[in-house]
Amino acid sequence: MVDPKGTRQTMTALAEILRQRIAQQGPLNLADYIGECLLHPEHGYYTQQEAFGRSGDFITAPEISQMFGEMIGLALGATWQAQGAPKEAIVVELGPGRGTLMSDLRRIAPAVPGFDSLPIHMIEASPRLRKLQSDALPGVIHHSEVSQLPQAPLFLIANEFFDALPIRQFRRKSAGWEEILLGCDANGLCFGKAAPQPYPFLAHRLEDTAPGMIVEYCPALPSIVAELSQRMADHGGAALIIDYGDWRSQGDTLQAVCHHQHADPLAAPGTADLTAHLDFEALYNAASAAGLRPTRLATQGVFLERLGVTQRAQLLAKSLSGAALESHIAAHRRLTHPDEMGGLFKVMGLVPEGAAVPPGLEP
């Protein structure tokens, strides 16, 4: 099999399992490969590694500062109030990491009377992470899939959840697409390609791409968004989706991070985090098809500033000095500055038709 990206991996237990699978069943698409690397029961990254925080491979916004979770909590709480403060509502987080964001949200929740009494539900596939989340938030209710959530108003946050969903990659040809696959050669796992063919879910991308361009497609996104949207359309609620990405998938965005460094996606499978940029257009279309009203896309920095993060930062700074104050100032900048996470990360809200959009995402 041809290796267009020129990559090789070192031997791990998962690499050998994947080589045997390919030998028996043929090449894997990228979604299957990423799924195994992240969630293999014994050798997957999220089942065996400490991924989050300063001891892990990456630091998400909630780990940078408590202000992030506090702003999310106030935004969801205000949205819950605007919808009549339904007592049967639940607060939901997709991919909660160590539970840091929800811990900060729960601490600020009493500022919105009644919001702190709502039960917390989490979508988490990793048993190890479920344990960490339960330790941080006793009484949290876990589910493996969004289809298991109750039929109730959902007030939901998904921060860096969709970027971890496995993606497939396709390279444009003159009248179709060749899918990028994973196979084996004498040196180990390698990238290859399938014969070109049309794919209905990529038909609209023939208009804005040229031969040779790569687009990515997340197979799980439409069904997940449709499931959540159905509940919000039927019962009320709102969702805040925060992730790195842009309006439309363009180019190869698959990346691996190991020990805080960018790595080869095929090097040592199961030991690195694999992510790809979120295609917000696909999110918008899936929610709209299910009857929801997505908001316009905003940058994380603008969203947080509209919610009052700078005023919160100034208040917290009054009790700090020295290195702690410097760290606090740096955290505020990292979350909001256009050259850092403030510009890289985008925010989209999802609400039922006729409902007020979450604060910070007004037109």
Side-chain angles (χ1 to χ4, degrees):
M1 177 171 279
V2 178
D3 181 5
K5 298 189 180 183
T7 52
R8 291 291 185 270
Q9 46 57 237
T10 56
M11 183 56 63
T12 64
L14 183 56
E16 182 57 32
I17 290 172
L18 293 173
R19 289 182 62 180
Q20 292 179 11
R21 177 176 169 182
I22 291 168
Q24 296 170 1
Q25 302 177 16
L28 301 175
N29 64 43
L30 268 181
D32 289 340
Y33 173 73
I34 294 169
E36 291 286 357
C37 287
L38 296 181
L39 291 172
H40 186 277
E42 290 184 66
H43 309 295
Y45 179 74
Y46 288 125
T47 55
Q48 65 174 340
Q49 302 287 330
E50 175 53 70
F52 302 94
R54 300 187 187 282
S55 62
D57 284 325
F58 56 91
I59 302 176
T60 60
E63 307 284 350
I64 293 171
S65 171
Q66 70 184 68
M67 297 183 292
F68 184 81
E70 290 173 347
M71 295 299 104
I72 298 301
L74 292 175
L76 286 181
T79 308
W80 173 72
Q81 277 189 326
Q83 294 189 21
K87 291 182 172 55
E88 70 277 18
I90 62 175
V91 179
V92 180
E93 184 173 5
L94 309 185
R98 300 190 301 186
T100 304
L101 186 155
M102 194 57 72
S103 296
D104 293 334
L105 182 152
R106 179 57 91 198
R107 186 179 58 255
I108 203 72
V112 182
F115 191 58
D116 57 329
S117 67
L118 300 183
I120 295 174
H121 292 246
M122 290 181 168
I123 304 298
E124 180 58 67
S126 166
R128 187 181 63 81
L129 289 177
R130 283 190 178 196
K131 174 65 167 57
L132 293 176
Q133 294 152 11
S134 294
D135 290 344
L137 290 152
V140 65
I141 302 166
H142 280 108
H143 308 280
S144 299
E145 300 176 356
V146 297
S147 61
Q148 298 169 349
L149 287 169
Q151 293 287 343
L154 308 182
F155 292 85
L156 178 146
I157 173 67
N159 179 61
E160 293 197 56
F161 169 78
F162 285 97
D163 66 19
L165 295 181
I167 52 102
R168 295 166 66 183
Q169 284 186 342
F170 301 85
R171 182 181 288 103
R172 167 77 188 277
K173 303 303 286 184
S174 58
W177 305 86
E178 58 182 21
E179 183 166 11
I180 295 173
L181 302 176
L182 265 295
C184 290
D185 62 14
N187 297 302
L189 297 179
C190 63
F191 287 103
K193 58 188 179 182
Q197 59 179 299
Y199 291 91
F201 52 84
L202 294 178
H204 67 294
R205 299 306 309 273
L206 292 173
E207 300 175 357
D208 70 321
T209 56
M213 289 184 174
I214 289 177
V215 299
E216 295 172 340
Y217 172 74
C218 178
L221 184 148
S223 61
I224 290 175
V225 175
E227 191 80 45
L228 295 173
S229 298
Q230 174 267 314
R231 281 163 170 72
M232 286 185 278
D234 290 348
H235 306 288
L240 290 173
I241 313 298
I242 306 177
D243 228 313
Y244 56 89
D246 220 319
W247 175 247
R248 177 171 284 184
S249 165
Q250 188 70 68
D252 177 5
T253 71
L254 177 65
Q255 66 173 353
V257 176
C258 185
H259 304 307
H260 293 279
Q261 301 291 325
H262 287 287
D264 181 336
L266 299 189
T271 66
D273 182 44
L274 300 178
T275 63
H277 286 196
L278 171 58
D279 180 345
F280 278 94
E281 182 187 40
L283 177 70
Y284 184 101
N285 290 340
S288 298
L292 289 195
R293 180 165 60 94
T295 69
R296 295 177 60 184
L297 201 58
T299 64
Q300 176 177 293
V302 168
F303 172 67
L304 293 177
E305 291 291 1
R306 286 179 173 178
L307 293 174
V309 71
T310 293
Q311 291 85 347
R312 178 59 173 159
Q314 292 168 343
L315 180 63
L316 292 172
K318 292 180 179 180
S319 62
L320 303 174
S321 61
L325 178 59
E326 292 179 5
S327 177
H328 175 64
I329 293 171
H332 175 263
R333 175 185 170 85
R334 187 169 179 186
L335 289 176
T336 62
H337 197 277
D339 292 336
E340 300 198 39
M341 295 177 74
L344 176 63
F345 282 75
K346 311 298 192 305
V347 187
M348 181 177 285
L350 308 177
V351 293
E353 285 291 344
V357 303
L361 293 175
E362 300 90 349

